[in-house]
Amino acid sequence: EPEVTQTPSHQVTQMGQEVILRCVPISNHLYFYWYRQILGQKVEFLVSFYNNEISEKSEIFDDQFSVERPDGSNFTLKIRSTKLEDSAMYFCASRAGLAGYNEQFFGPGTRLTVL
Amino acid sequence: AQSVSQHNHHVILSEAASLELGCNYSYGGTVNLFWYVQYPGQHLQLLLKYFSGDPLVKGIKGFEAEFIKSKFSFNLRKPSVQWSDTAEYFCAVNRPDNNNDMRFGAGTRLTVKP
């Protein structure tokens, strides 16, 4: 069964450093999402992406964040200058976009630890 | 503000007890509804989903949920819990008429005592 994959599974970085989290959505899916989950808290929507542009972003997704689909398979989340409060689990999701079928499939997540 | 509300922050049950976790949402219009489970140290797994049709939805591992449109609710139930059901449970709402964005509830931690 096709699945969303994410790399790395765990990323440790120093405050102020740039990180890139990678996701490979399910092939033929058209919509892509990033969510984050701070330890012990709920899953929060960050951004949605369709047709090579951001469709919607939350207030969390400020200028330090960016997303990109550099090729036909990867979907990346970049944090330009990490802060301690960026430490969280980051989940990627993708959706087919077929009419009447709206389920998002989630990846296993990347745990980001900012020291 | 529009939101997804899960009423119980932490539920503690003994094995074989019945479970009901509440979920309410405040969005108007068409919604798709989901329950996800997150076992300790693992990622989100889909338990069940409702798109249309029979409002009583059966999912994996004996879970079911009932969509009551008039109450804006989608409560999760299981007649007899097991120790292995110990996990965090998240209700989520997807809005097809609003870019299909998905919003999660705060989660309910379920602890099942053996």
Side-chain angles (χ1 to χ4, degrees), chain A residues 37 40-43, chain B residues 4-6 8-9 88-91 104-109:
Chain A
Q37 184 183 26
Q41 299 185 26
K42 69 174 180 179
V43 178
Chain B
V4 181
S5 301
Q6 291 184 240
N8 311 101
H9 181 65
E88 189 93 13
Y89 292 81
F90 294 94
C91 178
F104 286 81
T108 296
R109 178 169 299 173

PDB file of all heavy atoms in Angstrom, chain A residues 37 40-43, chain B residues 4-6 8-9 88-91 104-109:
ATOM      1  N   GLN A  37       3.350  18.998  15.908  1.00  0.00           N
ATOM      2  CA  GLN A  37       2.804  18.611  17.192  1.00  0.00           C
ATOM      3  C   GLN A  37       3.882  18.826  18.237  1.00  0.00           C
ATOM      4  O   GLN A  37       4.844  18.049  18.321  1.00  0.00           O
ATOM      5  CB  GLN A  37       2.335  17.155  17.182  1.00  0.00           C
ATOM      6  CG  GLN A  37       1.669  16.724  18.461  1.00  0.00           C
ATOM      7  CD  GLN A  37       1.278  15.258  18.452  1.00  0.00           C
ATOM      8  OE1 GLN A  37       1.883  14.443  17.752  1.00  0.00           O
ATOM      9  NE2 GLN A  37       0.257  14.904  19.228  1.00  0.00           N
ATOM     10  N   GLY A  40       3.167  16.734  23.778  1.00  0.00           N
ATOM     11  CA  GLY A  40       2.061  16.806  24.729  1.00  0.00           C
ATOM     12  C   GLY A  40       0.917  17.691  24.298  1.00  0.00           C
ATOM     13  O   GLY A  40      -0.054  17.850  25.039  1.00  0.00           O
ATOM     14  N   GLN A  41       1.022  18.259  23.103  1.00  0.00           N
ATOM     15  CA  GLN A  41      -0.033  19.157  22.628  1.00  0.00           C
ATOM     16  C   GLN A  41      -0.699  18.584  21.381  1.00  0.00           C
ATOM     17  O   GLN A  41      -0.374  17.509  20.911  1.00  0.00           O
ATOM     18  CB  GLN A  41       0.549  20.550  22.361  1.00  0.00           C
ATOM     19  CG  GLN A  41       1.144  21.198  23.608  1.00  0.00           C
ATOM     20  CD  GLN A  41       1.596  22.619  23.355  1.00  0.00           C
ATOM     21  OE1 GLN A  41       1.079  23.300  22.471  1.00  0.00           O
ATOM     22  NE2 GLN A  41       2.545  23.075  24.141  1.00  0.00           N
ATOM     23  N   LYS A  42      -1.662  19.326  20.868  1.00  0.00           N
ATOM     24  CA  LYS A  42      -2.417  18.810  19.731  1.00  0.00           C
ATOM     25  C   LYS A  42      -1.667  19.022  18.424  1.00  0.00           C
ATOM     26  O   LYS A  42      -0.694  19.767  18.344  1.00  0.00           O
ATOM     27  CB  LYS A  42      -3.779  19.486  19.644  1.00  0.00           C
ATOM     28  CG  LYS A  42      -3.743  20.950  19.258  1.00  0.00           C
ATOM     29  CD  LYS A  42      -5.160  21.486  19.068  1.00  0.00           C
ATOM     30  CE  LYS A  42      -5.166  22.940  18.693  1.00  0.00           C
ATOM     31  NZ  LYS A  42      -6.538  23.448  18.476  1.00  0.00           N
ATOM     32  N   VAL A  43      -2.141  18.353  17.408  1.00  0.00           N
ATOM     33  CA  VAL A  43      -1.594  18.514  16.071  1.00  0.00           C
ATOM     34  C   VAL A  43      -2.106  19.841  15.498  1.00  0.00           C
ATOM     35  O   VAL A  43      -3.306  20.107  15.514  1.00  0.00           O
ATOM     36  CB  VAL A  43      -2.030  17.343  15.174  1.00  0.00           C
ATOM     37  CG1 VAL A  43      -1.507  17.524  13.760  1.00  0.00           C
ATOM     38  CG2 VAL A  43      -1.563  16.019  15.753  1.00  0.00           C
TER      39      VAL A  43
ATOM     40  N   VAL B   4     -12.470  22.452  16.818  1.00  0.00           N
ATOM     41  CA  VAL B   4     -12.794  21.054  17.108  1.00  0.00           C
ATOM     42  C   VAL B   4     -12.534  20.859  18.595  1.00  0.00           C
ATOM     43  O   VAL B   4     -11.431  21.146  19.070  1.00  0.00           O
ATOM     44  CB  VAL B   4     -11.914  20.100  16.276  1.00  0.00           C
ATOM     45  CG1 VAL B   4     -12.294  18.669  16.569  1.00  0.00           C
ATOM     46  CG2 VAL B   4     -12.045  20.405  14.797  1.00  0.00           C
ATOM     47  N   SER B   5     -13.530  20.404  19.305  1.00  0.00           N
ATOM     48  CA  SER B   5     -13.415  20.278  20.754  1.00  0.00           C
ATOM     49  C   SER B   5     -13.492  18.828  21.196  1.00  0.00           C
ATOM     50  O   SER B   5     -14.407  18.109  20.794  1.00  0.00           O
ATOM     51  CB  SER B   5     -14.551  21.051  21.446  1.00  0.00           C
ATOM     52  OG  SER B   5     -14.521  22.412  21.097  1.00  0.00           O
ATOM     53  N   GLN B   6     -12.534  18.439  21.979  1.00  0.00           N
ATOM     54  CA  GLN B   6     -12.592  17.119  22.614  1.00  0.00           C
ATOM     55  C   GLN B   6     -12.733  17.360  24.115  1.00  0.00           C
ATOM     56  O   GLN B   6     -11.893  18.001  24.740  1.00  0.00           O
ATOM     57  CB  GLN B   6     -11.325  16.321  22.287  1.00  0.00           C
ATOM     58  CG  GLN B   6     -11.257  15.913  20.831  1.00  0.00           C
ATOM     59  CD  GLN B   6     -10.051  15.046  20.519  1.00  0.00           C
ATOM     60  OE1 GLN B   6      -9.218  15.410  19.704  1.00  0.00           O
ATOM     61  NE2 GLN B   6      -9.969  13.886  21.149  1.00  0.00           N
ATOM     62  N   ASN B   8     -12.760  15.496  26.850  1.00  0.00           N
ATOM     63  CA  ASN B   8     -11.986  14.834  27.898  1.00  0.00           C
ATOM     64  C   ASN B   8     -10.501  14.931  27.595  1.00  0.00           C
ATOM     65  O   ASN B   8     -10.059  14.555  26.523  1.00  0.00           O
ATOM     66  CB  ASN B   8     -12.381  13.356  27.998  1.00  0.00           C
ATOM     67  CG  ASN B   8     -13.883  13.173  28.069  1.00  0.00           C
ATOM     68  OD1 ASN B   8     -14.522  12.840  27.080  1.00  0.00           O
ATOM     69  ND2 ASN B   8     -14.440  13.425  29.231  1.00  0.00           N
ATOM     70  N   HIS B   9      -9.761  15.435  28.560  1.00  0.00           N
ATOM     71  CA  HIS B   9      -8.317  15.537  28.364  1.00  0.00           C
ATOM     72  C   HIS B   9      -7.640  14.203  28.641  1.00  0.00           C
ATOM     73  O   HIS B   9      -6.739  13.782  27.913  1.00  0.00           O
ATOM     74  CB  HIS B   9      -7.761  16.623  29.277  1.00  0.00           C
ATOM     75  CG  HIS B   9      -6.300  16.822  29.144  1.00  0.00           C
ATOM     76  ND1 HIS B   9      -5.714  17.277  27.985  1.00  0.00           N
ATOM     77  CD2 HIS B   9      -5.278  16.627  30.003  1.00  0.00           C
ATOM     78  CE1 HIS B   9      -4.404  17.349  28.141  1.00  0.00           C
ATOM     79  NE2 HIS B   9      -4.115  16.960  29.360  1.00  0.00           N
ATOM     80  N   GLU B  88      -3.170   8.161  22.594  1.00  0.00           N
ATOM     81  CA  GLU B  88      -3.785   9.483  22.461  1.00  0.00           C
ATOM     82  C   GLU B  88      -4.738   9.417  21.264  1.00  0.00           C
ATOM     83  O   GLU B  88      -4.376   8.886  20.210  1.00  0.00           O
ATOM     84  CB  GLU B  88      -2.703  10.541  22.200  1.00  0.00           C
ATOM     85  CG  GLU B  88      -3.190  11.968  22.263  1.00  0.00           C
ATOM     86  CD  GLU B  88      -3.036  12.604  23.638  1.00  0.00           C
ATOM     87  OE1 GLU B  88      -2.330  12.032  24.478  1.00  0.00           O
ATOM     88  OE2 GLU B  88      -3.643  13.668  23.862  1.00  0.00           O
ATOM     89  N   TYR B  89      -5.923   9.955  21.422  1.00  0.00           N
ATOM     90  CA  TYR B  89      -6.938   9.895  20.363  1.00  0.00           C
ATOM     91  C   TYR B  89      -7.283  11.318  19.924  1.00  0.00           C
ATOM     92  O   TYR B  89      -7.595  12.187  20.738  1.00  0.00           O
ATOM     93  CB  TYR B  89      -8.189   9.165  20.862  1.00  0.00           C
ATOM     94  CG  TYR B  89      -7.940   7.693  21.104  1.00  0.00           C
ATOM     95  CD1 TYR B  89      -7.326   7.258  22.279  1.00  0.00           C
ATOM     96  CD2 TYR B  89      -8.262   6.747  20.137  1.00  0.00           C
ATOM     97  CE1 TYR B  89      -7.059   5.914  22.490  1.00  0.00           C
ATOM     98  CE2 TYR B  89      -8.008   5.406  20.338  1.00  0.00           C
ATOM     99  CZ  TYR B  89      -7.400   4.986  21.516  1.00  0.00           C
ATOM    100  OH  TYR B  89      -7.128   3.660  21.717  1.00  0.00           O
ATOM    101  N   PHE B  90      -7.215  11.524  18.618  1.00  0.00           N
ATOM    102  CA  PHE B  90      -7.477  12.843  18.053  1.00  0.00           C
ATOM    103  C   PHE B  90      -8.664  12.791  17.099  1.00  0.00           C
ATOM    104  O   PHE B  90      -8.704  11.953  16.190  1.00  0.00           O
ATOM    105  CB  PHE B  90      -6.259  13.356  17.275  1.00  0.00           C
ATOM    106  CG  PHE B  90      -5.063  13.634  18.129  1.00  0.00           C
ATOM    107  CD1 PHE B  90      -4.081  12.675  18.309  1.00  0.00           C
ATOM    108  CD2 PHE B  90      -4.909  14.868  18.740  1.00  0.00           C
ATOM    109  CE1 PHE B  90      -2.974  12.928  19.098  1.00  0.00           C
ATOM    110  CE2 PHE B  90      -3.798  15.135  19.530  1.00  0.00           C
ATOM    111  CZ  PHE B  90      -2.824  14.162  19.707  1.00  0.00           C
ATOM    112  N   CYS B  91      -9.575  13.704  17.319  1.00  0.00           N
ATOM    113  CA  CYS B  91     -10.658  13.910  16.378  1.00  0.00           C
ATOM    114  C   CYS B  91     -10.213  14.975  15.372  1.00  0.00           C
ATOM    115  O   CYS B  91      -9.486  15.911  15.734  1.00  0.00           O
ATOM    116  CB  CYS B  91     -11.890  14.396  17.151  1.00  0.00           C
ATOM    117  SG  CYS B  91     -13.324  14.774  16.161  1.00  0.00           S
ATOM    118  N   PHE B 104      -7.519  19.646  13.932  1.00  0.00           N
ATOM    119  CA  PHE B 104      -7.521  18.594  14.943  1.00  0.00           C
ATOM    120  C   PHE B 104      -8.031  19.114  16.276  1.00  0.00           C
ATOM    121  O   PHE B 104      -7.821  20.274  16.635  1.00  0.00           O
ATOM    122  CB  PHE B 104      -6.101  18.058  15.136  1.00  0.00           C
ATOM    123  CG  PHE B 104      -5.622  17.181  14.021  1.00  0.00           C
ATOM    124  CD1 PHE B 104      -5.133  17.738  12.839  1.00  0.00           C
ATOM    125  CD2 PHE B 104      -5.649  15.805  14.141  1.00  0.00           C
ATOM    126  CE1 PHE B 104      -4.695  16.933  11.811  1.00  0.00           C
ATOM    127  CE2 PHE B 104      -5.203  14.989  13.121  1.00  0.00           C
ATOM    128  CZ  PHE B 104      -4.729  15.551  11.953  1.00  0.00           C
ATOM    129  N   GLY B 105      -8.641  18.223  17.033  1.00  0.00           N
ATOM    130  CA  GLY B 105      -8.935  18.523  18.415  1.00  0.00           C
ATOM    131  C   GLY B 105      -7.674  18.406  19.248  1.00  0.00           C
ATOM    132  O   GLY B 105      -6.618  17.983  18.765  1.00  0.00           O
ATOM    133  N   ALA B 106      -7.779  18.778  20.496  1.00  0.00           N
ATOM    134  CA  ALA B 106      -6.604  18.798  21.381  1.00  0.00           C
ATOM    135  C   ALA B 106      -6.151  17.405  21.779  1.00  0.00           C
ATOM    136  O   ALA B 106      -5.050  17.239  22.302  1.00  0.00           O
ATOM    137  CB  ALA B 106      -6.910  19.617  22.626  1.00  0.00           C
ATOM    138  N   GLY B 107      -6.997  16.417  21.535  1.00  0.00           N
ATOM    139  CA  GLY B 107      -6.620  15.049  21.866  1.00  0.00           C
ATOM    140  C   GLY B 107      -7.136  14.614  23.225  1.00  0.00           C
ATOM    141  O   GLY B 107      -7.337  15.433  24.134  1.00  0.00           O
ATOM    142  N   THR B 108      -7.384  13.330  23.337  1.00  0.00           N
ATOM    143  CA  THR B 108      -7.755  12.722  24.617  1.00  0.00           C
ATOM    144  C   THR B 108      -6.795  11.579  24.890  1.00  0.00           C
ATOM    145  O   THR B 108      -6.639  10.688  24.056  1.00  0.00           O
ATOM    146  CB  THR B 108      -9.188  12.168  24.592  1.00  0.00           C
ATOM    147  OG1 THR B 108     -10.105  13.241  24.402  1.00  0.00           O
ATOM    148  CG2 THR B 108      -9.506  11.451  25.910  1.00  0.00           C
ATOM    149  N   ARG B 109      -6.166  11.646  26.047  1.00  0.00           N
ATOM    150  CA  ARG B 109      -5.268  10.558  26.422  1.00  0.00           C
ATOM    151  C   ARG B 109      -6.076   9.474  27.117  1.00  0.00           C
ATOM    152  O   ARG B 109      -6.773   9.737  28.093  1.00  0.00           O
ATOM    153  CB  ARG B 109      -4.179  11.067  27.363  1.00  0.00           C
ATOM    154  CG  ARG B 109      -3.222   9.982  27.829  1.00  0.00           C
ATOM    155  CD  ARG B 109      -2.042  10.579  28.529  1.00  0.00           C
ATOM    156  NE  ARG B 109      -1.313  11.459  27.629  1.00  0.00           N
ATOM    157  CZ  ARG B 109      -0.299  12.237  28.008  1.00  0.00           C
ATOM    158  NH1 ARG B 109       0.095  12.241  29.252  1.00  0.00           N
ATOM    159  NH2 ARG B 109       0.312  13.004  27.140  1.00  0.00           N
TER     160      ARG B 109
END
